[in-house]
């Protein structure tokens, strides 16, 4: 069983994101990158599948930030058996089309039985990457999955529907599966191990012949939504809050 | 005195059993060396010397249990002197005509006589004292069934221990000592009886000799031979048993004390030895993954359970006993001795055989066990090493601890707050607080997670800011660049995250300009003061209590109101007190504030942990039983209630943000609300300085909207 997990880094939303000067994208110099949280679920699910049966998990991504190594070492610490990155001169903010082409050409050579990826990402809310990967590799795709079990050449997956409904699918392998959540919360990646792996592990670098990175679409402008009115939050203890409310009521001549 | 046959028999015995013992001791040395490397011991000869002096004065053992320690001292002095006695007895056996009884009047002749008299007097008295001490020990263990010698339910015990191995060993050692010393004393008695004279330098033996006056000369001579054998021959027979008995402590304990860890208490050994290969797993899963000093510990252990007695986890009924850990290790060594003595690696998984996972996660890293151990053992160090490997293998990590570690890894704090909100408390502190990364300051205030984020503690943090500012102290903070200092992260076993935090904080230090560090958090203080220097961050680190005291003594702060209406006691936080000896400043501050004060029985070195340290505060589930903090509140009330007098209020004063939280909770959960109030020292001081804000609505202009 060869399981491949396709991952990517996305801007951290814990901090305010800034727009670039042209107003066409984020200012990638000003953001921190983190692993897409759905990809984190995909890694966990892959390791669970491996642990339930046998096989090996390879985690692969495109290094568009120069910081992918840390993420790959973390994947190893969580139980992946091998990691690889598509090497090249890439800029952050690769489109899903580009990601899909780069990843699929590398993954196809690995002859995987199962390809997992996060069903969506903050910069891919419509979840294009999975279906595109499947299309480019000519494999079936199921998305919004929250449990995967493999027996023989078939995977049984649970897919979520609106209204709390759940469907069970049997998928002929090889296939691509878009993970919404792993069947268990992602395990802890000990920093001790991550740091050790950073010294000892090897990351396979895959050269790519792919040079078509455009998606055919371009962003004309990116802006923040204009806010219409806002609520004032009053902080502090009960006394402070009460004091402030009295002051506001006074200001408006209500008392 | 001995016949030729006896002499030959004795020599044969020495050769055979002595040889066997030597092989055993060599095996122990091999075994101990099979542990992982440890930081190099410094200054070994001097430390060994001072260990011998300490042992000679019985200092380490008098750290606790004064009465039993006195009996131990009897046995110790007796046994030490018996080295000389045994040599003399050997001479007596093998050199015809050599006898020390009667000193100057006996066969020793007038030349040796004076020395012999003194020798006899000391031997006579010490023999009796040893017997008295030994009887006391045996009565206590077998007659009184001292509860301190048993373990909590659920403590993992080696089958040999379960089967009463420690009791049997104690019985054998006790019998040996009684027989050995008793026989020697009886032998001297019989010698005196042989001549029918009393020797003023052997008062006790002279007294007992009266009982044997009626025996025939041949009976007496037979008795003298028999007692020689049961005194001296017995030692030789007993030698091989040493290798497997806890009685070996009499040799290993001084060695262990001499080889004690260099450096401060608050500095942990690294998770992998320096210079180890990059892929070596940190910490310990197998017994021989532990550092060699931890293996030696098991041989020094006398199985007295003192460490267990002071352990807060044990005290709250949890299945942790630091003593059981050491005892188990020793029994495992005995069990696998043949292969270990050859230097082989044995399969001895610690979590299955020496200590249970639940016990490992019960330790608060309070250091009480290490502090009290009379032979210099460090059970806590084993526990931290076991945690390190558990974290590394992601085995059985409590969900609460995992959450805390993930939060700290991501945001630098365990409150689940994003890093950029760290300094929010400073906005409504009431005084401007400098950003040390933007302007130079004298003191860098390392705030810590609890003081920054816990809403119960934030007002206290702000008070500290106001008092420092009032005293004109030039201080600043790292703002949102500060990260958790990593003290508890390291003690939970996440060495990698700890290193990462050190790097992040050092990067922030690098952006700031300051000369010294001040903190309210003893945990941060400990690692900043004792561990960061190893990574290159060397600054003087002060607890706020020390700085406040300095300010008062320099007149920069003035007490305007004596707080005589309060009756207070003070809790020493482990990481300020036991780890860093910050005992006096808080007490001086309370004194200057003019309050009535009483110490709890467990204070300073003996302070009892609040139960929060070493990651306990992160644990997902609260274990049943009286929690350490509740036991402490009870102790405070027992101390203060009888002497309340006209005090308006009883205070439980603390000087650690975690303590504020722990004890405020404990007062509620133990149903003592209204009886005693928990106060941080800054609140007390603010009141005494007359800086308390007038009651009523606060200035709303400062409340952010
Ligand atoms: S450090 Fe404290 S809690 Fe841990 S074993 Fe020792 S005494 Fe018990
Ligand atoms: S470790 Fe020390 S205190 Fe604990 S039982 Fe052994 S000798 Fe006693």
């Amino acid at each position: 069983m060869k399981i491949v997990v396709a991952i990517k880094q996305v801007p951290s939303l814990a901090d305010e994101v800034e727009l670039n000067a042209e107003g066409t994208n984020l200012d990638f110099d000003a953001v921190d990158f983190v692993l897409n949280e759905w990809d984190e679920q995909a890694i966990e699910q892959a390791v669970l599948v491996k642990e339930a049966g046998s096989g090996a998990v390879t985690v692969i991504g495109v290094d568009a930030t120069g910081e992918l190594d840390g993420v790959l070492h973390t994947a190893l610490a969580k139980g992946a058996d091998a990691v690889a990155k598509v090497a090249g001169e890439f800029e952050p903010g690769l489109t899903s089309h580009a990601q899909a082409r780069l990843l699929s050409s590398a993954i196809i050579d690995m002859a995987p039985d199962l390809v997992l990826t996060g069903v969506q990402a903050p910069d891919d809310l419509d979840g294009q990457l999975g279906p595109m990967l499947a299309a480019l590799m000519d494999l079936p795709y199921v998305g919004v999955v929250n449990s995967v079990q493999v027996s023989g050449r078939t995977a049984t997956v649970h897919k979520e529907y609106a209204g709390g409904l759940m469907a069970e699918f049997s998928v002929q392998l090889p296939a691509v599966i878009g993970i919404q959540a792993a069947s268990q919360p992602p395990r802890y990646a000990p920093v001790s191990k991550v740091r050790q792996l950073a010294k000892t592990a090897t990351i396979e670098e895959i050269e790519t012949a792919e040079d078509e990175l455009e998606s055919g679409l371009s962003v004309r402008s990116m802006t923040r939504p204009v806010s219409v009115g806002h609520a004032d939050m009053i902080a502090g203890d009960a006394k402070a809050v009460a004091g402030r409310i009295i002051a506001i009521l006074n200001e408006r001549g209500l008392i | 005195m001995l016949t030729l046959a006896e002499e030959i028999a004795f020599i044969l015995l020495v050769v055979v059993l002595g040889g066997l013992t030597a092989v055993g001791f060599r095996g122990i040395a091999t075994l101990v060396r099979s542990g992982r490397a440890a930081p190099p011991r410094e200054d070994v000869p001097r430390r060994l010397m001072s260990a011998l002096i300490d042992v000679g004065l019985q200092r380490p053992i008098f750290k606790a249990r004064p009465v039993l320690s006195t009996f131990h001292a009897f046995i110790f002095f007796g046994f030490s002197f018996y080295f000389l006695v045994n040599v003399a007895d050997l001479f007596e056996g093998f050199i015809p005509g050599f006898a020390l009884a009667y000193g100057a009047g006996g066969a020793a002749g007038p030349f040796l006589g004076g020395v012999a008299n003194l020798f006899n007097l000391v031997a006579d008295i010490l023999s009796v004292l040893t017997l008295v001490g030994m009887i006391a020990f045996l009565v206590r263990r077998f007659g009184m069934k001292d509860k301190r010698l048993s373990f909590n339910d659920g403590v993992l015990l080696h089958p040999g221990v379960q089967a009463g191995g420690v009791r049997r060993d104690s019985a054998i050692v006790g019998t040996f000592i009684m027989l050995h010393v008793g026989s020697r004393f009886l032998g001297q008695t019989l010698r005196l009886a042989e001549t029918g004279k009393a020797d003023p330098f052997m008062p006790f033996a002279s007294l007992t000799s009266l009982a044997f006056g009626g025996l025939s000369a041949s009976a007496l001579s037979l008795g003298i031979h028999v007692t020689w054998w049961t005194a001296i021959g017995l030692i030789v027979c007993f030698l091989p048993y040493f290798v497997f008995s806890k009685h070996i402590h009499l040799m290993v304990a001084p060695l262990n004390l001499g080889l004690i860890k260099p450096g401060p208490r608050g500095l942990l050994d690294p998770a992998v030895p320096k210079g180890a290969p990059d892929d070596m797993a940190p910490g310990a899963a197998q017994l021989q993954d532990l550092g060699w000093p931890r293996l030696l510990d098991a041989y020094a252990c006398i199985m007295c359970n003192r460490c267990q007695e002071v352990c807060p986890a044990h005290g709250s009924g949890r299945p942790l006993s630091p003593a059981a850990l050491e005892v188990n290790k020793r029994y495992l060594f005995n069990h696998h001795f043949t292969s270990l003595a050859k230097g082989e690696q044995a399969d001895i998984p610690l979590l299955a055989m020496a200590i249970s996972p639940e016990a490992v996660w019960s330790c608060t890293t309070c250091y009480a066990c290490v502090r009290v151990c009379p032979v210099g053992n460090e059970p806590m160090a084993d526990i931290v090493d076991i945690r390190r490997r558990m974290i590394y293998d992601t085995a059985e990590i409590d969900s609460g601890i995992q959450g805390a570690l993930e939060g700290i890894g991501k945001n630098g704090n365990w409150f689940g707050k994003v890093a950029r909100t760290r300094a929010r408390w400073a906005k409504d502190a009431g005084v401007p607080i400098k950003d040390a990364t933007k302007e130079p300051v004298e003191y860098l205030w390392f705030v810590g997670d609890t003081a920054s984020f816990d809403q119960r503690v934030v007002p206290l943090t702000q008070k500290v800011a106001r008092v420092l500012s009032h005293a004109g102290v030039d201080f600043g903070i790292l703002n949102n660049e500060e990260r958790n200092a990593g003290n508890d992260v390291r003690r939970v076993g996440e060495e990698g995250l700890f290193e990462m935090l050190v790097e992040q904080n050092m990067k922030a230090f690098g952006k700031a300009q300051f000369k010294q560090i001040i903190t309210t958090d003893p945990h941060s203080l400990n690692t900043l003061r004792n561990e960061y220097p190893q990574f290159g961050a060397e600054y003087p680190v002060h607890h706020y209590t020390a700085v406040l005291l300095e300010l008062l003594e320099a007149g920069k702060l003035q007490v305007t109101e004596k707080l005589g209406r309060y009756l207070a006691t003070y809790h020493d936080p482990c990481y300020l007190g036991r780890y860093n000896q910050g005992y006096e400043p808080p007490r001086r501050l309370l004194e200057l504030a003019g309050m009535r004060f009483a110490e709890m029985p467990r204070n300073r070195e003996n302070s009892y942990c609040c139960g929060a340290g070493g990651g306990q505060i992160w644990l997902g589930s609260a274990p049943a039983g009286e929690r350490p903090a509740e036991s402490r509140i009870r102790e405070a009330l027992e101390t203060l209630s009888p002497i309340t007098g006209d005090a308006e209020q009883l205070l439980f004063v603390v000087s650690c943000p975690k303590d504020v939280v722990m004890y405020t909770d404990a007062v509620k959960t133990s149903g003592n609300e209204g009886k005693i109030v928990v106060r941080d020292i800054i609140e007390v001081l603010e009141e005494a300085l007359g800086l308390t804000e007038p009651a009523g609505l606060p200035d709303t202009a400062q409340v952010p909207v």
Side-chain angles (χ1 to χ4, degrees):
Chain A
M1 241 320 256
K2 184 150 188 135
I3 309 167
V4 175
V5 187
I7 58 152
K8 66 172 175 178
Q9 287 174 288
V10 294
S12 162
L13 301 179
D15 293 303
E16 298 271 310
V17 285
E18 312 248 331
L19 297 176
N20 64 9
E22 301 81 49
T24 53
N25 210 332
L26 298 182
D27 177 2
F28 289 113
D29 292 334
V31 300
D32 283 336
F33 287 97
V34 294
L35 176 62
N36 172 28
E37 59 179 290
W38 286 273
D39 292 345
E40 203 173 329
Q41 301 284 341
I43 294 173
E44 179 64 31
Q45 187 62 66
V47 175
L48 289 172
V49 169
K50 173 186 91 167
E51 286 171 351
S54 62
V57 174
T58 304
V59 175
I60 182 171
V62 179
D63 193 359
T65 61
E67 298 168 3
L68 188 71
D69 290 8
V71 175
L72 295 176
H73 292 137
T74 306
L76 284 171
K78 289 185 172 209
D81 303 281
V83 288
K85 63 180 177 186
V86 180
E89 298 286 314
F90 306 111
E91 295 291 323
L94 281 180
T95 63
S96 299
H97 280 86
Q99 289 270 2
R101 281 199 212 99
L102 292 165
L103 287 167
S104 63
S105 69
I107 295 173
I108 237 166
D109 292 339
M110 298 176 172
D113 299 296
L114 181 60
V115 179
L116 302 183
T117 189
V119 69
Q120 59 174 161
D123 59 359
D124 181 20
L125 286 177
D126 42 354
Q128 297 178 353
L129 182 63
M132 284 198 276
L133 275 177
L136 289 168
M137 292 191 284
D138 208 11
L139 296 177
Y141 174 80
V142 200
V144 206
V145 161
N146 60 15
S147 114
V148 179
Q149 275 172 324
V150 174
S151 95
R153 304 297 302 162
T154 328
T156 308
V157 306
H158 289 149
K159 179 181 166 84
E160 270 181 47
Y161 284 94
L165 294 180
M166 182 81 75
E168 188 175 286
F169 282 69
S170 276
V171 194
Q172 208 57 39
L173 297 182
V176 179
I177 294 172
I179 299 291
Q180 167 77 19
S183 33
Q184 277 174 27
R187 68 197 64 195
Y188 184 64
V191 184
S192 305
K193 201 165 215 166
V194 177
R195 290 170 74 96
Q196 189 181 59
L197 286 162
K199 288 188 223 150
T200 56
T202 41
I203 297 174
E204 190 193 347
E205 299 207 11
I206 300 176
E207 297 299 328
T208 176
E210 191 61 59
D211 51 8
E212 180 54 58
L213 296 181
E214 296 306 316
S215 64
L217 297 170
S218 60
V219 179
R220 278 172 49 195
S221 102
M222 193 179 271
T223 54
R224 291 179 189 286
V226 185
S227 71
V228 276
H230 65 284
D232 280 342
M233 299 305 289
I234 306 175
D237 59 10
K239 268 189 190 166
V241 173
R244 183 62 196 150
I245 291 178
I246 292 168
I248 293 174
L249 293 178
N250 261 329
E251 257 166 46
R252 320 237 155 141
L254 293 171
I255 47 171
Chain B
M1 172 204 100
L2 294 180
T3 62
L4 185 61
E6 279 178 315
E7 284 180 359
I8 293 171
F10 185 79
I11 289 167
L12 272 179
L13 207 61
V14 168
V15 171
V16 173
L17 296 182
L20 205 64
T21 311
V23 172
F25 275 80
R26 212 184 48 207
I28 293 174
T30 311
L31 177 163
V32 169
R33 273 203 300 262
S34 76
R36 283 193 177 175
R41 272 30 194 170
E42 292 158 9
D43 226 1
V44 175
R46 195 190 54 83
R47 277 172 187 266
L48 268 177
M49 222 31 229
S50 78
L52 282 175
I53 293 170
D54 276 351
V55 169
L57 297 172
Q58 291 283 279
R59 268 198 207 128
I61 192 168
F62 272 100
K63 285 190 282 196
R65 297 186 187 169
V67 177
L68 282 171
S69 298
T70 309
F71 288 123
H72 182 273
F74 288 174
I75 302 175
F76 168 79
F77 291 125
F79 237 70
S80 306
F81 193 73
Y82 257 59
F83 276 117
L84 289 181
V85 172
N86 295 334
V87 172
D89 287 0
L90 269 181
F91 286 166
E92 206 161 303
F94 282 84
I95 302 173
F98 184 94
L100 288 179
Y102 311 116
F111 174 65
L112 269 178
V115 183
N117 279 341
L118 184 64
F119 177 87
N120 283 340
L121 183 64
V122 177
D124 192 58
I125 294 172
L126 284 179
S127 299
V128 173
L129 285 182
T130 307
L131 292 173
V132 168
M134 205 56 235
I135 290 168
F137 270 21
L138 290 171
V139 166
R140 170 252 189 168
R141 189 174 278 267
F142 295 98
M144 308 202 308
K145 304 248 156 66
D146 192 335
K147 271 224 299 291
R148 293 179 296 191
L149 295 172
S150 59
F151 300 99
N152 276 353
D153 286 346
V155 172
L156 177 73
L157 294 175
H158 186 274
V161 182
Q162 270 170 13
V166 179
R167 281 171 67 84
R168 197 183 51 228
D169 192 15
S170 305
I172 293 174
V173 173
T175 314
F176 160 70
I177 294 176
M178 296 292 294
L179 265 178
H180 171 57
V181 177
S183 301
R184 206 282 167 171
F185 181 73
L186 188 59
Q188 297 304 95
T189 300
L190 296 177
R191 282 192 173 79
L192 293 181
E194 218 176 15
T195 58
K197 280 192 286 182
D199 180 343
F201 293 99
M202 299 167 75
F204 291 108
S206 299
L207 204 67
T208 45
S209 71
L210 298 177
F212 298 92
L215 286 187
S216 70
S218 62
L220 284 171
S221 152
L222 178 69
I224 289 168
H225 279 257
V226 170
T227 49
W228 191 92
W229 278 97
T230 47
I232 305 300
L234 187 71
I235 302 181
V236 186
C237 295
F238 192 75
L239 279 178
Y241 184 69
F242 259 105
V243 177
F244 299 100
S245 162
K246 65 174 187 164
H247 202 44
I248 198 175
H249 86 288
L250 70 88
M251 291 167 227
V252 182
L255 187 66
N256 205 40
L257 287 165
L259 293 173
I260 216 146
K261 177 179 89 168
R265 289 177 170 183
L267 168 66
L268 284 178
D269 283 355
V272 284
K274 249 203 171 119
D278 278 343
D279 59 353
M280 183 184 255
Q286 292 279 329
L287 188 45
Q288 285 158 297
D289 291 338
L290 291 169
W292 64 262
R294 304 288 74 79
L295 305 189
L296 190 62
D297 281 352
Y299 279 96
C301 181
I302 187 56
M303 311 184 185
C304 63
N305 282 14
R306 289 170 184 234
C307 51
Q308 167 180 294
E309 196 181 340
V310 295
C311 173
H314 169 82
S316 50
R318 309 205 60 191
L320 167 61
S321 163
L325 170 63
E326 296 299 348
V327 177
N328 286 340
K329 278 157 62 186
R330 181 64 195 283
Y331 273 71
L332 290 164
F333 287 149
N334 285 355
H335 189 83
H336 293 88
F337 192 74
T338 346
S339 75
L340 290 171
K342 282 189 231 143
E344 291 169 6
Q345 291 284 324
D347 177 31
I348 310 175
L350 287 161
L351 284 172
M353 299 190 170
I355 183 167
S356 70
E358 200 194 334
V360 169
W361 291 119
S362 304
C363 173
T364 69
T365 67
C366 72
Y367 205 83
C369 53
V370 185
R371 209 285 303 181
V372 80
C373 178
V375 301
N377 285 352
E378 290 190 49
M380 188 191 89
D382 298 53
I383 294 175
V384 171
D385 258 342
I386 297 171
R387 288 177 171 184
R388 285 167 162 167
R389 184 64 71 82
M390 287 172 89
I391 293 275
Y392 179 81
D393 289 340
T394 50
E396 312 218 27
I397 307 182
D398 174 89
S399 61
I401 288 181
Q402 174 170 342
L405 293 177
E406 277 168 349
I408 294 172
K410 217 193 275 163
N411 305 312
N413 69 76
W414 53 274
F415 282 81
K417 298 282 167 64
V418 289
R420 73 184 132 86
T421 59
R422 189 170 191 97
R424 195 161 270 176
W425 66 268
K427 292 210 171 62
D428 41 329
V431 287
I433 291 174
K434 289 185 186 170
D435 182 339
T437 61
K438 302 229 164 72
E439 52 186 316
V441 291
E442 170 71 24
Y443 286 100
L444 176 71
W445 182 1
F446 195 96
V447 188
D449 285 6
T450 308
S452 299
F453 291 109
D454 193 305
Q455 286 314 310
R456 291 165 290 187
V457 184
V458 161
L460 306 177
T461 312
Q462 293 166 336
K463 281 184 205 292
V464 174
R466 287 198 290 272
V467 172
L468 289 179
S469 164
H470 177 83
V473 176
D474 178 26
F475 69 94
I477 58 175
L478 290 172
N479 251 333
N480 301 332
E481 306 254 350
E482 183 185 296
R483 293 285 173 274
N484 182 297
N487 190 69
D488 297 357
V489 168
R490 189 173 208 199
R491 279 146 188 88
V492 148
E494 221 323 7
E495 188 78 359
L497 182 54
F498 168 70
E499 287 167 7
M500 194 172 108
L501 293 167
V502 174
E503 286 161 16
Q504 290 171 341
N505 280 317
M506 281 180 61
K507 208 167 123 205
F509 292 165
K511 291 188 198 162
Q513 278 186 57
F514 61 94
K515 301 207 182 80
Q516 334 190 26
I517 295 178
I518 174 177
T519 180
T520 59
D521 176 27
H523 297 247
S524 300
L525 173 123
N526 182 64
T527 191
L528 289 170
R529 180 185 283 173
N530 299 316
E531 299 187 316
Y532 275 49
Q534 298 236 318
F535 296 83
E538 284 189 68
Y539 302 97
V541 184
H542 312 279
H543 194 238
Y544 72 128
T545 51
V547 174
L548 290 173
L549 180 60
E550 234 174 72
L551 293 170
L552 269 163
E553 283 175 344
K556 299 212 174 108
L557 289 174
Q558 249 124 28
V559 171
T560 56
E561 193 195 340
K562 294 275 179 189
L563 305 177
R565 60 182 176 279
Y566 296 133
L567 171 60
T569 189
Y570 170 73
H571 164 76
D572 290 283
C574 304
Y575 280 95
L576 177 63
R578 204 153 35 232
Y579 274 104
N580 287 292
Q581 288 71 49
Y583 301 123
E584 294 317 320
R587 290 181 167 77
R588 281 280 297 141
L589 287 176
L590 295 183
E591 196 184 319
L592 290 172
M595 21 182 70
R596 283 176 56 209
F597 180 79
E599 289 284 2
M600 288 184 275
R602 294 177 286 189
N603 63 64
R604 293 189 170 83
E605 285 274 70
N606 286 316
S607 178
Y608 194 62
C609 177
C610 75
Q616 291 299 302
I617 205 167
W618 300 330
L619 274 190
S621 53
E626 186 186 50
R627 291 179 299 144
E630 293 168 350
S631 143
R632 197 69 167 144
I633 292 294
R634 188 159 50 83
E635 183 179 354
L637 281 170
E638 281 163 12
T639 307
L640 299 181
S641 299
I643 52 165
T644 306
D646 55 0
E648 285 169 24
Q649 179 69 60
L650 303 185
L651 292 189
F652 188 93
V653 180
V654 296
S655 60
C656 162
K658 286 196 178 79
D659 280 336
V660 174
V661 177
M662 293 301 286
Y663 287 115
T664 313
D665 267 2
V667 168
K668 285 189 202 129
T669 53
S670 61
N672 285 310
E673 262 172 306
K675 293 192 200 143
I676 190 162
V677 173
V678 177
R679 282 274 176 275
D680 190 276
I681 218 158
I682 194 65
E683 297 175 274
V684 173
L685 209 65
E686 199 188 35
E687 205 177 329
L689 298 171
L691 296 176
T692 328
E693 292 150 53
L697 291 182
D699 180 5
T700 50
Q702 281 174 13
V703 179
V705 177

